[in-house]
Amino acid sequence: MVSIKGGTYIPLYGRDSLKVTISDFYMDVYPVTNNEFMGFVKKFPKWQKSEVKKLFADAGYLMNWKSNTTLGDNQALNAPVINISWFAANAYCECQGKRLPTIDEWEYAAMANEEMPDARKLKTYNEYILGWYERPKTFNNIVGSTFKNYWGVYDLHGLVWEWTSDFNSVMVSGESRKDVDNDSNLFCGSAAIGATDLMNYAAFMRYATRGSLKAKYTMKNLGFRCVKDKNNEAF
């Protein structure tokens, strides 16, 4: 893990354009790999593909694995694990004494390019991210394939999408989240009304994708990494 120094930033959505304060925290350098997740399911069989409860994962869970503890032919041990539900990702992090990052923590760390902590206004930064969205099967690449950012973190952009602890908390329209299952409206143009920067389409895509998810969903290009509070054990 590496240390992320906290600060304030204005997120793309909500909060009436108020700045959000992020405390110092630690973040995994890489997304969790197939090899790491395999070790987890061997230790905790209830998260194996044939054992996981349907309540906690849909039919796509680890769908490319040959068996409970065997990868598919075209899967690399050091590639990011994919087809993982939020429940499984959350359980993995907890078993490591860690947790999933919040949306704000993830976005804060992911603002950085190689040289600066907030590169969101750079045309080249957003072009790189949008270019990745158009490339197929980047999830088959091994971790560390993309650039090392200002904080020392790899693969926040360019490899897989990543779960956050509060993935569906931003684009819900009702105060009590009674309409949390109303996925059909999440990708419409009106969803961008709360954006602080309507030109930042790359960030909008991330929020829209997160907002369309449910905790049991899995996707072939969706993985995760863990974080840890700074007041815990140092790394």
Side-chain angles (χ1 to χ4, degrees):
M1 305 190 88
V2 292
S3 176
I4 311 293
K5 182 175 176 56
T8 59
Y9 89 113
I10 298 177
L12 178 65
Y13 281 98
R15 286 85 166 179
D16 297 321
S17 298
L18 295 177
K19 289 185 177 181
V20 171
T21 299
I22 305 297
S23 299
D24 296 353
F25 65 100
Y26 294 103
M27 175 174 268
D28 283 352
V29 174
Y30 306 108
V32 174
T33 64
N34 285 317
N35 189 47
E36 290 170 329
F37 200 77
M38 185 180 297
F40 169 71
V41 298
K42 286 180 178 179
K43 188 174 182 180
F44 301 97
K46 69 178 182 179
W47 292 107
Q48 294 176 3
K49 63 181 296 184
S50 69
E51 300 296 327
V52 68
K53 293 182 179 180
K54 293 182 179 179
L55 179 65
F56 299 135
D58 64 20
Y61 181 73
L62 298 176
M63 63 181 298
N64 293 325
W65 288 32
K66 282 185 176 180
S67 71
N68 285 336
T69 57
T70 306
L71 297 180
D73 292 335
N74 297 320
Q75 291 182 292
L77 285 172
N78 288 331
V81 65
I82 54 173
N83 294 120
I84 293 295
S85 69
W86 179 91
F87 290 112
N90 187 62
Y92 176 95
C93 291
E94 287 185 349
C95 287
Q96 310 299 316
K98 305 177 186 179
R99 59 178 174 80
L100 287 170
T102 66
I103 289 177
D104 285 325
E105 286 172 334
W106 195 98
E107 289 290 327
Y108 179 82
M111 296 189 308
N113 65 1
E114 295 95 329
E115 299 176 350
M116 53 196 301
D118 187 357
R120 289 178 297 172
K121 293 184 179 180
L122 295 182
K123 182 179 179 181
T124 52
Y125 169 85
N126 290 295
E127 285 178 343
Y128 173 85
I129 297 172
L130 291 171
W132 161 47
Y133 293 167
E134 297 175 354
R135 291 193 300 272
K137 298 183 178 179
T138 56
F139 51 84
N140 284 330
N141 297 335
I142 63 173
V143 297
S145 296
T146 72
F147 67 91
K148 177 182 180 181
N149 80 1
Y150 175 87
W151 302 111
V153 180
Y154 286 84
D155 307 323
L156 287 168
H157 304 292
L159 204 56
V160 292
W161 304 82
E162 297 183 9
W163 282 109
T164 60
S165 60
D166 52 345
F167 63 95
N168 61 359
S169 65
V170 177
M171 295 185 69
V172 177
S173 58
E175 291 183 3
S176 64
R177 301 191 190 179
K178 292 180 180 179
D179 56 349
V180 69
D181 290 331
N182 189 15
D183 293 348
S184 60
N185 294 325
L186 292 174
F187 285 92
C188 69
S190 62
I193 291 176
T196 58
D197 178 5
L198 296 179
M199 298 299 292
N200 195 346
Y201 185 64
F204 171 70
M205 287 293 292
R206 292 195 297 277
Y207 281 90
T209 298
R210 293 184 186 116
S212 70
L213 296 172
K214 297 178 183 178
K216 67 180 290 185
Y217 283 7
T218 64
M219 293 169 50
K220 67 180 180 180
N221 58 349
L222 177 61
F224 71 100
R225 75 179 72 213
C226 309
V227 301
K228 195 168 187 176
D229 294 331
K230 193 66 177 287
N231 56 6
N232 289 335
E233 180 183 356
F235 288 83

